[in-house]
Structure formats: structure tokens, C-alpha cells
Amino acid sequence: MKTKPIVLGVCLLLSMSVAAYPQKVTTEFDKAAPFSKFKTYAWIEGTPAKSPQMRERITESVDKQLAGKGLLKIDRDSNPDLLVAYHAASDVETQLYTSGWAYWGTSTTQVERIPVGTLGVNIGTPKEKKYVWMGKATGTLSEKPEKVEELVSKAVAKMFKDFPPKVKS
């Protein structure tokens, strides 16, 4: 019976590829927003991450991206052009891996719990009270804090890669 090692090998390969799926990043924006006129921003309350360290990692990553795009962070009371909020959530996906042949009674099922996270960043205008840009990143999280910091940084960089958006006239 050579099929059992082949099936186990395929299951092993599938389990490794599922556990390391890449981050998915999406963005959308208001095509009528005057992005070239926005010069300043301030933070407002969103749905913060559970840990203070994660909250700091997220805000620092977004601040770095916005500063790199020429926006200046100011106090909310100083009449900013934009307001920025983030929403963070984490959960655990459960995946089952069955190997062997159930018909013969030799199957084995393994349960794997995979931590996943979602980060949304919303940017709006205080005067019009509407969103002009939204980004969302989802992906697998790690148990190691330094790896999570790297994942957050990469996700935010991908999110802001084309910010401010080029609006076709």
C-alpha cells in the first residue's frame, strides 16, 4: 500500500500552505476627494487592539506611512484636514486535517487553531464627516511579538502603497 504515504505527504503540504497564507490587503477611496489639498491629520478613537503594545505598533506604522506621504500629524483641536481611526480584531480559525482512508477505519484527524487578524484604517474629513479612504488587511498572526510587529508594518505599508490615490480626471 503506497497510497497511504502519498496521502500523508499531500496532507502535510496542504497544511503547511494553509497555515502561511499571505496577507490580503484591500483599499477603496472617494474618487471626488481632493487628496492633493490634504496636509494634516489627527487620530480619533476607533476599535483599538487589545494590548497597549499592539496599539502603539499600529499607530506608529500608520504615522510613519502618512508622514512619508507628506501629511503632518497635529492635535485634533487644531483643525486637521483629515481624521484617522483604526479598527483591529483578532480571532482563531479552526482547520481540520484528515489523513488516511476513513473507509478502512485508519483515518486520523488533526485540529489546528490558527490565529488571524484584521486591521482596518479609515480616513475621513471632519467638515464633511465622510470617509475619503479605507484600507483593510487580513492575515495570519504569530505567537512571537517581533513577528507580529513585522506583520503589522508590512500590512500597513501595503495598505498605503498607493496613498494618496491617483484620481483620474
Side-chain angles (χ1 to χ4, degrees):
M1 286 261 175
K2 292 185 179 185
T3 57
K4 190 171 183 178
I6 292 171
V7 170
L8 288 174
V10 169
C11 288
L12 180 62
L13 283 173
L14 285 174
S15 69
M16 289 184 341
S17 65
V18 170
Y21 72 89
Q23 295 172 334
K24 179 180 178 190
V25 176
T26 59
T27 61
E28 59 182 283
F29 62 94
D30 179 356
K31 292 175 177 53
F35 285 95
S36 63
K37 294 182 180 180
F38 300 139
K39 305 294 180 207
T40 60
Y41 75 97
W43 283 96
I44 58 171
E45 187 72 26
T47 309
K50 292 178 183 176
S51 76
Q53 295 85 3
M54 183 59 76
R55 289 194 289 270
E56 189 175 317
R57 286 181 188 117
I58 293 169
T59 55
E60 283 178 358
S61 291
V62 173
D63 284 342
K64 180 180 175 185
Q65 290 297 318
L66 291 175
K69 306 294 183 171
L71 289 166
L72 178 65
K73 179 180 169 182
I74 62 173
D75 201 33
R76 186 169 179 197
D77 297 331
S78 299
N79 199 22
D81 299 324
L82 298 170
L83 295 174
V84 179
Y86 79 84
H87 306 278
S90 61
D91 202 356
V92 176
E93 287 184 1
T94 303
Q95 295 189 349
L96 303 175
Y97 302 101
T98 302
S99 59
W101 299 99
Y103 183 76
W104 293 312
T106 60
S107 67
T108 302
T109 300
Q110 295 177 329
V111 177
E112 185 173 357
R113 297 176 54 81
I114 302 170
V116 294
T118 301
L119 173 63
V121 178
N122 297 337
I123 300 177
T125 55
K127 292 175 184 140
E128 293 82 11
K129 292 184 174 24
K130 71 178 214 176
Y131 291 125
V132 294
W133 185 91
M134 292 181 284
K136 179 180 168 186
T138 58
T140 304
L141 297 176
S142 173
E143 299 291 326
K144 300 175 184 173
E146 63 276 1
K147 184 70 174 166
V148 172
E149 186 172 351
E150 179 184 330
L151 290 169
V152 167
S153 182
K154 283 183 179 181
V156 173
K158 284 182 190 177
M159 205 182 287
F160 283 92
K161 179 181 168 220
D162 295 322
F163 184 89
K166 309 292 186 267
V167 181
K168 296 178 182 176
S169 12

